[in-house]
Amino acid sequence: QRQPVAPAAAEKNAALLSEFGREMQAGLARRPRSISPKYFYDAAGSQLFDRICELPEYYPTRTELRILGECAGEIAAQVGPGAEIVEFGAGSLTKVRLLLDALEAPRRYLPIDISGEHLAAAAERLRADYPQLAVQPIAADYTMPLVLPAPLAGAGKRVGFFPGSTIGNFEPDEALAFLQLAARMLRGGGLLIGVDLVKDPGRLHAAYNDAQGVTAAFNLNLLRRANAELDANFDLEGFAHAAFYNAPKQRIEMHLVSRRDQIVSLNGERFAFEEGETIHTEYSHKFTVEGLRALAVKAGFRPGAVWTDPERLFSVHWLGA
Ligand code: AVI
């Protein structure tokens, strides 16, 4: 049960809270309880995610890198010379290096990421390694409309890069909205997108329930972050990581499950949890090749080549804009 606070105090508190605080408060108040996966990625969460990418059970990262490496020649032929690469949610700018190494004389790289400081530092390192490339970081939320700088004179195609199957973390309507935005931004060029494929549920279950418990720590980090940044008192031992494959919806669902009846306070508000009650923290949608292509058509793209690994675990698509 949500215990109301006096309206004046609630208003003042809401004004003082960060976006994370407001969303956490609203997420705990609604049923079913939920919070956006974007709040996983503070410094500790980003480090845990990097560890997930190295786990033996978590196949997406290494499989995508393998596809990008092995199909680099064909991808480069599709993209053409002098391209301008726009990366959505660029992070540490690591995967793009594989692409840059394969392409013929890429002209400019425009990485977009919400975390401006981290992006600026990563851009500096990239400049040092690719002195011929113009690197122009853009600190912004890439799910919002934004105006890109005008193309450089004589540049080739404008090509979006969206690896890692991050599209799977969006709700279906958000995924369509993002692709529509990208199609408009990249008109005349294309999008290179990495997408995790529907597969044996056992394989998916293992990838999100690793033996070392890193994914569990990643999920629970959300509560640790709430304790550190918001005035919250989650008992991390009082919640368990749960991840399962929802076959009809073609998605992994991650939740935090209350291990017992308990009351948590956040910014002066008290939230009662019954044993077994959950907070939904992430969807990770999986796609068929045909399903992704159909979604891309709906968004205004012309699907082109698709590259996969021999086990068909993961796919990289060229979508003409
Ligand atoms: C970032 N994203 C594509 C990852 C995924 O697989 O959905 C996040 C993740 N969640 C748990 N493990 C990895």
Side-chain angles (χ1 to χ4, degrees):
Q1 252 30 64
R2 188 181 189 200
Q3 318 273 317
V5 289
E11 238 168 65
K12 183 165 159 255
N13 285 343
L16 289 174
L17 275 179
S18 60
E19 183 195 294
F20 174 41
R22 285 195 301 274
E23 290 222 6
M24 194 74 187
Q25 215 162 10
L28 293 181
R30 71 176 150 252
R31 295 293 186 280
R33 289 175 159 148
S34 66
I35 180 83
S36 163
K38 71 180 175 187
Y39 297 109
F40 280 140
Y41 300 95
D42 65 346
S46 300
Q47 273 177 18
L48 285 165
F49 180 63
D50 288 347
R51 281 181 60 200
I52 288 175
C53 294
E54 301 286 325
L55 290 169
E57 298 95 332
Y58 193 76
Y59 60 85
T61 312
R62 76 178 62 86
T63 311
E64 182 177 50
L65 287 173
R66 180 175 165 195
I67 296 169
L68 288 173
E70 288 180 1
C71 306
E74 287 179 37
I75 293 172
Q78 183 66 252
V79 169
E84 296 203 329
I85 309 296
V86 181
E87 183 167 357
F88 300 102
S92 307
L93 317 189
T94 43
K95 280 186 191 161
V96 77
R97 287 170 182 258
L98 264 179
L99 186 63
L100 293 171
D101 291 344
L103 296 182
E104 190 186 334
R107 275 294 294 281
R108 185 162 60 166
Y109 174 49
L110 302 160
I112 309 173
D113 203 287
I114 194 90
S115 167
E117 256 177 60
H118 186 66
L119 182 63
E124 206 45 61
R125 291 192 295 274
L126 197 79
R127 276 190 201 103
D129 295 339
Y130 296 84
Q132 312 292 0
L133 184 74
V135 180
Q136 213 171 312
I138 301 172
D141 177 352
Y142 67 84
T143 63
M144 297 292 173
L146 94 159
V147 180
L148 292 176
L152 294 175
K157 285 187 194 127
R158 181 159 276 187
V159 173
F161 185 46
F162 195 42
S165 204
T166 302
I167 185 110
N169 296 135
F170 293 152
E171 300 271 355
D173 57 337
E174 293 170 343
L176 177 64
F178 165 73
L179 288 175
Q180 284 169 329
L181 201 71
R184 278 199 297 275
M185 245 188 238
L186 303 168
R187 198 56 76 212
L191 176 67
L192 197 60
I193 180 169
V195 178
D196 198 11
L197 295 176
V198 168
K199 61 182 61 61
D200 163 36
R203 185 89 189 239
L204 287 168
H205 188 268
Y208 293 84
N209 290 279
D210 65 278
Q212 293 172 54
V214 184
T215 311
F218 174 71
N219 199 5
L220 284 158
N221 179 57
L222 201 69
L223 303 184
R224 189 209 51 77
R225 182 178 178 190
N227 287 348
E229 290 180 28
L230 315 171
D231 187 12
N233 68 347
F234 285 100
D235 170 11
L236 269 59
E237 302 293 316
F239 287 85
H241 163 73
F244 58 87
Y245 186 57
N246 179 338
K249 301 274 190 192
Q250 293 184 189
R251 67 189 182 204
I252 287 281
E253 295 191 11
M254 291 215 312
H255 301 263
L256 290 162
V257 186
S258 179
R259 291 181 189 271
R260 51 181 163 78
D261 290 357
Q262 57 184 316
I263 291 180
V264 175
S265 86
L266 186 137
N267 195 41
E269 240 187 297
R270 286 156 58 83
F271 299 92
F273 282 84
E274 282 176 20
E275 182 181 345
E277 239 190 284
T278 60
I279 309 172
H280 166 242
T281 52
E282 187 184 65
Y283 289 137
S284 190
H285 290 89
K286 309 302 165 187
F287 295 83
T288 60
V289 165
E290 300 70 33
L292 190 281
R293 287 166 67 93
L295 181 66
V297 167
K298 218 169 154 187
F301 284 106
R302 283 171 286 103
V306 186
W307 298 276
T308 62
D309 54 293
E311 285 185 275
R312 286 181 78 85
L313 296 175
F314 201 90
S315 58
V316 175
H317 298 243
W318 172 260
L319 306 175

